[in-house]
Amino acid sequence: MSDAVRDAYGRRAAEYAELLGSMAATHPMDRTLVSSWAEPLDGPVLDAGCGPGQWTRFLRDRGADAHGLDQVPEFIEHARRTHPGPPFELGSLDALPDADGSLAGILAWYSLIHHDPGAIDRPLSEFARALRPGGGILLGFVLGETTEPFDHAVVRAYRWTFDALGERLIAAGFEVVETHSRTAPDQRPHGAISAIRAGTAHRS
């Protein structure tokens, strides 16, 4: 996340948290998917780009050893205040504080949508570094017919195709397990990719 994106979210953090910072604002299919993905994970789980912290709390409530990371100070302050218990840390997805091979899973739910195609390899490489071999990752993103920018409510974001994002994951050292999509009237198409870290990760 660039400084410009961080600052844009910081200015609207209270509004964002009020509108989207609870599990009531999430789609039931997403809750089912994230819950089933996290269930078999045995070890620490990072909610990467945790925002107001609702998904971190969701994971903890289902028994996961989850902690949250976000680059927006206002989000971390909100998360710590609203969801006492889970650890929340200020930091960048481009330079995770987690040690090599220390994580069993990473949830990156819409947290990479502001990385342009020239910058997304860095966080994916960091995810591969921090995950143990066989560790799982679940990415939620805006699905498109082509990989292209669009006008997001906060700051410019990017749609990705399954093939394009899958290729980046493979290059970073992952094996794609499955993909999910859903569409609804007046909503952007949603995509999710589940993958596991291969035995040897790509290093940038």
Side-chain angles (χ1 to χ4, degrees), residues 23 26-27 30-32 34-35 47 50 52-60 66 83 107 109:
M23 294 311 299
T26 63
H27 197 284
D30 296 346
R31 296 194 294 271
T32 298
V34 172
S35 183
D47 182 7
C50 64
Q54 72 274 18
W55 281 110
T56 315
R57 176 81 269 168
F58 178 84
L59 290 167
R60 294 278 288 203
H83 305 290
L107 176 68
W109 204 251

Side-chain angles (χ1 to χ4, degrees), residues 153-185:
V154 178
V155 65
R156 184 174 67 175
Y158 291 82
R159 299 183 181 91
W160 285 84
T161 66
F162 281 126
D163 286 346
L165 192 52
E167 288 173 359
R168 297 301 183 91
L169 281 163
I170 292 169
F174 290 94
E175 298 174 4
V176 174
V177 175
E178 58 186 9
T179 62
H180 303 264
S181 65
R182 59 172 171 78
T183 59

